[in-house]
Amino acid sequence: MGGTDSANRSKDDNPITASAAFDSLEHYSIDIDLFKIGELEDKNNKSKKEQLLLSVLSGNQVNISLLPHLKEIGYASNLVDKSLYRPIDSLFFFKARKDNVESSCIHEFRDILVFYKDKECVGVAKICFDCKIMVSWSEKLNFAGFGDWDDYDKLHPLLR
């Protein structure tokens, strides 16, 4: 056994140890169906909270100033178990993307990953598992490896 992967690992490389890219990971998710989202979009006099929710769900960019408000607008938060860092790290940061996936579905970002290093937010990924679309923000991380069709199928059960 002993292919190139094991030859390149250092003695400190353990699948349970923290990632090189992040040392804490928070997963935000919201359980809202398309019918409810459509009702909110069609509503004439949206509250500030409803406007904020729609901007997070459907916005094609990450606004990190909204992170402290995710719970207020209905997102639940869970810290991701450290034993899952290595597989998540490998999906996002240790591989090259093979497919250039385009989706014509109307994306709704019900899942948001917030990556921390030394208690500082270093990256955010908003994910629509239905459309297999992600938008990300980071000044320190490169999310370019994530986005192949099977990446979404591998990530989804890790977060659930």
Side-chain angles (χ1 to χ4, degrees):
M1 230 163 110
T4 57
D5 284 345
S6 61
N8 290 333
R9 289 187 185 155
S10 73
K11 65 181 178 186
D12 296 328
D13 192 11
N14 178 325
I16 297 178
T17 60
S19 156
F22 60 95
D23 59 19
S24 181
L25 179 60
E26 197 164 10
H27 173 225
Y28 289 88
S29 62
I30 190 167
D31 185 19
I32 186 170
D33 63 31
L34 288 175
F35 180 74
K36 178 69 174 167
I37 295 169
E39 282 182 341
L40 279 174
E41 289 173 337
D42 293 342
K43 187 176 176 182
N44 286 330
N45 295 318
K46 295 174 193 69
S47 70
K48 190 169 184 147
K49 182 178 171 180
E50 291 167 332
Q51 291 173 7
L52 184 59
L53 174 60
L54 287 173
S55 74
V56 173
L57 281 168
S58 58
N60 281 332
Q61 60 189 19
V62 175
N63 181 343
I64 61 169
S65 69
L66 299 179
L67 292 178
H69 304 288
L70 292 177
K71 289 182 183 178
E72 293 170 26
I73 59 173
Y75 280 82
S77 169
N78 292 308
L79 282 176
V80 175
D81 189 273
K82 288 187 185 298
S83 68
L84 300 175
Y85 288 7
R86 187 64 65 196
I88 291 171
D89 212 16
S90 67
L91 284 171
F92 281 95
F93 311 115
F94 291 128
K95 69 177 214 43
R97 191 169 172 182
K98 297 176 278 196
D99 304 323
N100 193 4
V101 179
E102 295 288 327
S103 176
S104 61
C105 99
I106 299 171
H107 50 268
E108 302 296 346
F109 297 105
R110 293 180 186 97
D111 291 89
I112 301 171
L113 293 175
V114 183
F115 297 83
Y116 295 93
K117 184 77 172 186
D118 300 325
K119 298 182 181 179
E120 175 190 348
C121 176
V122 293
V124 177
K126 289 177 27 173
I127 300 170
C128 177
F129 284 105
D130 293 337
C131 299
K132 299 189 186 245
I133 294 284
M134 177 193 72
V135 294
S136 60
W137 166 88
S138 182
E139 293 178 351
K140 299 179 181 187
L141 303 177
N142 181 356
F143 287 96
F146 185 84
D148 294 329
W149 281 104
D150 64 338
D151 291 348
Y152 294 92
D153 297 334
K154 291 174 184 172
L155 180 62
H156 194 256
L158 292 174
L159 298 177
R160 302 288 173 228

